[in-house]
Amino acid sequence: MKMLAAVLHETPSTLSVEEVEISNPGPREVRVKISASGLCHTDWETMHGYQPQKLPAVIGHEGAGIVESVGKEVTLVKEGDHVICSWSPNCGLCFYCDQGQPILCEPMSKIRSAGVMYDGTPRISLNNKPVYHYSIVSSHAEYAVIPEQGAVPIRNDFPLDKASLLGCAVMTGYGGAIYAGKIKPEDSVFIIGCGAVGLSAIQGARLAGASLIIAVDINDKKLKLAKSMGATHIINSLNQNPAEFTKDLTSGRGADCVIEAAGQNITIQQSLESSRPGARVVILGKTPFGEKINFPFNLMMGEREIIRTSYGMSRPRIDFPKLADLYMTQKLILDTMISMRLKLENINHGFDELEKGNVARSLIIFD
């Protein structure tokens, strides 16, 4: 079947919207008609060569849509189901899955880096040559073939444009606060980086009952949005020292939980400086592949627990439906997180705005 897709041929480069061929789903695979796909900073990093990826590839990993067809032996979803695509479709049987760490699933990790499905081949082609998958999703396209474990059913009344946000940004930020951060009622929380992930962490902190939520960024528009999501205090770190501000509010100690969602050496250091002895420091942001980060030893003293997590220690098949319910009961804010809605042909403009820091999240909307 032919479809339009955003193809990355080389790095650094922009995307090329082209007509490609997508095959029928194989055994235990499903084909999803994509309704919306979010533009994530990880996509941008890949386009600029900061993340390894086998090319050419259809990128995108934050998508939602409707199951159009299913392959043999599929039992988890059926045609017509509304689903969120998960870039962590764990097998449930390997060493890490048995350890309760599905994000580290061994079979999934192998195929994700290779850009293929579990049988070792891709489902997309261009001029009879293979086009590789991105994070086992490839959602910047009209359709995606994914493992059935990666198609997580959600309630049909949950809008699919909002649903796409859960596939990466919201789950990562919320999970970073609730699961990795273990935020408790009345905790003090410091969150640096107010993009879609940071805004979701702010909401996780609010829902967990934190009494003090300090949001830090260098963009005043994003800080205003952070305030609407539940931040009790906002700081532009270009104008004010975030560690000093935080300590002034916490009797000189620092925050109980610190969440880093910007992925820069300076923001990682500011996170450590703003944490109290005994704090949990959760690093969600991602520096370019291979770049070294600095952990000043004096800032690691005091029994601090430093955690790095890619998906907020989440379990998508359990957590996506929970987040959908939180939105439908007006406890989770998603609408104002969407800064731009674009057609596929305008995807490079969306990434330009992301690079400039002008958006929380942009979505590609399909008919």
Side-chain angles (χ1 to χ4, degrees), residues 93-302:
L93 300 172
C94 71
F95 171 84
Y96 288 111
C97 286
D98 277 346
Q99 296 294 315
Q101 297 174 298
I103 188 66
L104 301 176
C105 174
E106 290 172 309
M108 176 270 297
S109 297
K110 291 177 182 178
I111 67 168
R112 186 166 61 199
S113 61
V116 295
M117 302 298 284
Y118 282 108
D119 69 350
T121 64
R123 298 290 174 267
I124 312 169
S125 61
L126 177 63
N127 299 325
N128 296 317
K129 294 182 179 179
V131 175
Y132 296 97
H133 298 267
Y134 183 74
S135 291
I136 326 181
V137 177
S138 294
S139 58
H140 296 334
E142 293 178 311
Y143 292 85
V145 172
I146 60 178
E148 67 165 332
Q149 304 98 313
V152 180
I154 51 168
R155 51 193 292 175
N156 282 6
D157 57 348
F158 180 36
L160 286 169
D161 57 342
K162 318 301 187 306
S164 66
L165 298 174
L166 306 191
C168 182
V170 174
M171 187 70 265
T172 300
Y174 175 89
I178 298 293
Y179 301 134
K182 297 183 179 179
I183 296 170
K184 304 182 297 297
E186 301 304 311
D187 271 357
S188 57
V189 181
F190 172 100
I191 297 168
I192 188 163
C194 295
V197 172
L199 293 172
S200 301
I202 289 168
Q203 296 201 69
R206 168 175 55 81
L207 290 166
S211 59
L212 182 66
I213 305 173
I214 302 166
V216 184
D217 205 283
I218 59 173
N219 185 310
D220 288 333
K221 289 183 179 179
K222 289 184 179 180
L223 288 170
K224 184 178 179 180
L225 192 55
K227 190 80 171 176
S228 72
M229 299 281 176
T232 59
H233 298 76
I234 55 176
I235 312 170
N236 187 318
S237 57
L238 293 177
N239 306 323
Q240 203 165 7
N241 185 305
E244 291 178 0
F245 184 93
T246 302
K247 288 178 180 178
D248 285 345
L249 291 175
T250 56
S251 303
R253 287 187 294 270
D256 298 316
C257 176
V258 169
I259 297 175
E260 196 284 329
Q264 299 178 30
N265 254 308
I266 182 62
T267 54
I268 292 171
Q269 181 167 328
Q270 288 170 333
S271 297
L272 289 166
E273 291 172 343
S274 302
S275 64
R276 68 163 174 82
R280 293 175 71 83
V281 179
V282 180
I283 300 175
L284 299 176
K286 192 160 71 283
T287 59
F289 187 80
E291 180 177 308
K292 294 181 180 180
I293 59 174
N294 298 319
F295 285 89
F297 185 76
N298 65 302
L299 297 178
M300 297 173 66
M301 298 285 284

Side-chain angles (χ1 to χ4, degrees), residues 313-333:
M313 295 184 175
S314 65
R315 297 166 298 168
R317 301 197 66 82
I318 295 172
D319 293 316
F320 285 172
K322 286 183 179 180
L323 290 171
D325 288 342
L326 285 172
Y327 172 81
M328 297 302 292
T329 55
Q330 301 182 346
K331 296 174 183 174
L332 182 68
I333 303 167

Side-chain angles (χ1 to χ4, degrees), residues 2 24 28 32 65 114 127 164 176 179 203 238 244 278 303 315 327 337 341 343 346 360:
K2 295 186 182 301
N24 293 326
R28 301 201 67 188
V32 178
N127 299 325
S164 66
Y179 301 134
Q203 296 201 69
L238 293 177
E244 291 178 0
E303 303 298 317
R315 297 166 298 168
Y327 172 81
M337 198 180 291
R341 298 168 186 269
K343 292 185 177 295
N346 298 320

